[in-house]
Amino acid sequence: MSNFPARIPVAPGLRDLGLFNWVFCKLTARKQQVPQAHLFTTLGQHRRLMWAWLPFAGMLLGAGKLPKTDTELVILRVGHLRHAEYELQHHRRIGRQRGLDEATQTAIFAGADADGLTERQRALVAGVDELVGTRTLSDDAWKRLSAHLTRQQLIEFVTLAGQYDALAATLSALRVPLDFDD
């Protein structure tokens, strides 16, 4: 994440996490094929907060109304704008699994005017840029997004971008270390 040390211990033990969180963190690390899932071992040290946040984040990530490629596009764009390497490491991989190849990811990072994006993707990228930059959406941005998204998807789009913006701030402020060496 940075050259600075983590602010929360990165290798908490059973006592810090509690049995349930400790097992969850071990299983998550195994699934992600990393020695330690630092996001979860960090948040897991506030046991109730992690379990309040997980269903919300999980719904946005995998069970929402947006297509999974749109979800990953939003997360990648927020991660890029916030220089959130932790988010980018994980979601570049997930994005590839969900249909966002390297060329498309490069276009997402380049911005809404980049070659290789569909009109829907351009609207999403521009919407993320405006929402992250101004904390709201102009009527023009709303109209552009509304041409591609249902009412429920619009609500989810705003919530998803805000959630990953907040997560980027959390990762940065707590100096959560990266999970992968690359």
Side-chain angles (χ1 to χ4, degrees):
M1 180 105 210
S2 71
N3 293 330
F4 300 104
R7 289 185 164 146
I8 304 296
V10 296
L14 182 59
R15 175 171 277 171
D16 297 314
L17 292 169
L19 179 61
F20 199 67
N21 286 4
W22 185 83
V23 169
F24 175 83
C25 290
K26 292 292 184 186
L27 292 173
T28 301
R30 179 178 292 166
K31 182 179 179 188
Q32 293 177 350
Q33 299 178 345
V34 295
Q36 191 174 153
H38 291 106
L39 169 63
F40 299 108
T41 60
T42 299
L43 294 182
Q45 293 178 63
H46 188 312
R47 297 173 195 180
R48 290 178 56 206
L49 178 64
M50 183 173 93
W51 288 103
W53 171 77
L54 270 176
F56 173 70
M59 194 289 304
L60 288 171
L61 184 59
K65 299 291 184 183
L66 286 171
K68 289 180 178 22
T69 53
D70 289 354
T71 297
E72 290 308 316
L73 179 151
V74 169
I75 294 167
L76 288 170
R77 188 63 185 169
V78 171
H80 173 75
L81 293 173
R82 291 298 185 211
H83 308 286
E85 190 60 33
Y86 192 99
E87 285 179 0
L88 292 172
Q89 271 198 337
H90 282 272
H91 288 281
R92 285 185 63 92
R93 288 170 169 80
I94 297 168
R96 283 192 296 272
Q97 294 169 356
R98 293 184 171 180
L100 297 176
D101 61 20
E102 291 298 323
T104 305
Q105 289 188 27
T106 299
I108 291 166
F109 300 143
D113 295 330
D115 291 335
L117 296 176
T118 66
E119 284 306 311
R120 179 187 182 97
Q121 290 170 329
R122 291 177 193 285
L124 292 169
V125 169
V128 170
D129 289 359
E130 188 169 316
L131 189 57
V132 169
T134 68
R135 313 304 293 161
T136 193
L137 291 168
S138 66
D139 289 341
D140 288 341
W142 186 259
K143 183 177 178 181
R144 190 173 180 191
L145 287 164
S146 295
H148 302 283
L149 304 178
T150 67
R151 182 180 305 156
Q152 289 179 329
Q153 289 173 329
L154 287 161
I155 295 166
E156 188 172 321
F157 167 83
V158 171
T159 306
L160 176 68
Q163 148 65 15
Y164 274 86
D165 192 18
L167 184 57
T170 300
L171 292 163
S172 177
L174 297 178
R175 298 180 183 160
V176 175
L178 300 176
D179 291 340
F180 299 97
D181 292 332
D182 58 300

